């Protein structure tokens, strides 16, 4: 079995640096600390492929994230620890280690990460995923690929 190296992208306790650097990797977004008494301790590792990336991200503190529309990618949130309240596509759910969340590129989202939440984030290029889906069904798609917001139980 081959193991991936951590590939550190960011280590910071500065809110503005975290917003900027994480925004470069994913998309411009609003980032706010939920509990001002908490210490921000951002850790971001990433491995990038041609049409997807696998990321580890933790803020340490409770944070709120408003990315708006993702537009060009899907984002799978797989919590390793902690919880995130996710508002997406008019629904609200709780992402936990037992229940992953998926953000579709065509709808706005709001994420409230709990203190100590850490995640694996899988970012998949929208065009690539839609081309693969079209090739699998050997027909034009009736619309874009939309995932249910939740995978798992909990």
């Amino acid at each position: 079995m081959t193991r991936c190296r951590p590939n550190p992208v960011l280590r910071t306790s500065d809110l503005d640096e975290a917003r900027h650097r994480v925004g470069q990797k994913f998309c411009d977004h609003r980032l706010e600390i939920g509990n001002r008494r908490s210490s921000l301790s951002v850790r971001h590792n990433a491995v990038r492929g041609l049409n997807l990336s696998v990321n580890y991200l933790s803020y340490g503190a409770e944070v709120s994230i408003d990315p708006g529309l993702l537009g060009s990618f899907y984002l799978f949130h797989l919590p390793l620890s902690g919880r995130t309240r996710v508002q997406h596509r008019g629904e609200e759910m709780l992402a936990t280690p037992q229940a992953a969340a998926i953000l579709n590129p065509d709808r706005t989202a709001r994420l409230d990460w709990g203190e100590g939440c850490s995640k694996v984030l899988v970012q998949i290029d929208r065009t690539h995923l839609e081309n693969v889906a079209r090739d699998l069904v050997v027909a034009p798609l009736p619309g874009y690929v939309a995932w249910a917001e939740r995978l798992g139980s909990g």
Side-chain angles (χ1 to χ4, degrees):
M1 176 196 305
T2 303
R3 298 185 85 191
C4 291
R5 293 196 173 142
N7 296 312
V9 173
L10 177 63
R11 304 286 185 270
T12 189
S13 59
D14 181 80
L15 182 66
D16 291 330
E17 181 183 14
R19 181 184 304 112
H20 176 72
R21 298 276 306 277
V22 172
Q24 287 179 318
K25 175 65 186 88
F26 295 104
C27 62
D28 191 28
H29 62 285
R30 204 170 41 134
L31 174 65
E32 299 171 345
I33 296 177
N35 181 347
R36 296 286 175 190
R37 290 172 278 151
S38 295
S39 295
L40 191 68
S41 178
V42 181
R43 297 179 57 85
H44 180 201
N45 299 336
V47 177
R48 176 113 183 107
L50 185 58
N51 296 298
L52 67 87
S53 67
V54 178
N55 303 266
Y56 168 84
L57 185 58
S58 173
Y59 289 97
E62 179 182 300
V63 296
S64 292
I65 303 169
D66 183 351
L69 293 175
L70 302 181
S72 63
F73 62 92
Y74 294 84
L75 192 59
F76 290 67
H77 287 250
L78 310 161
L80 300 173
S81 64
R83 298 170 174 240
T84 300
R85 187 171 59 88
V86 179
Q87 296 171 336
H88 183 59
R89 297 181 75 194
E91 301 289 328
E92 185 173 311
M93 66 159 290
L94 196 61
T96 67
Q98 294 77 34
I102 304 171
L103 300 184
N104 290 286
D106 69 322
R107 298 285 196 272
T108 60
R110 179 171 172 92
L111 306 131
D112 295 313
W113 290 46
E115 188 170 352
C117 184
S118 65
K119 296 182 187 180
V120 170
L121 299 168
V122 180
Q123 180 183 29
I124 303 174
D125 178 77
R126 178 182 185 167
T127 301
H128 177 72
L129 182 67
E130 290 174 353
N131 288 340
V132 168
R134 187 177 55 252
D135 290 347
L136 286 172
V137 298
V138 194
L141 298 176
Y144 77 96
V145 175
W147 296 85
E149 291 79 30
R150 179 190 207 96
L151 290 177
S153 62

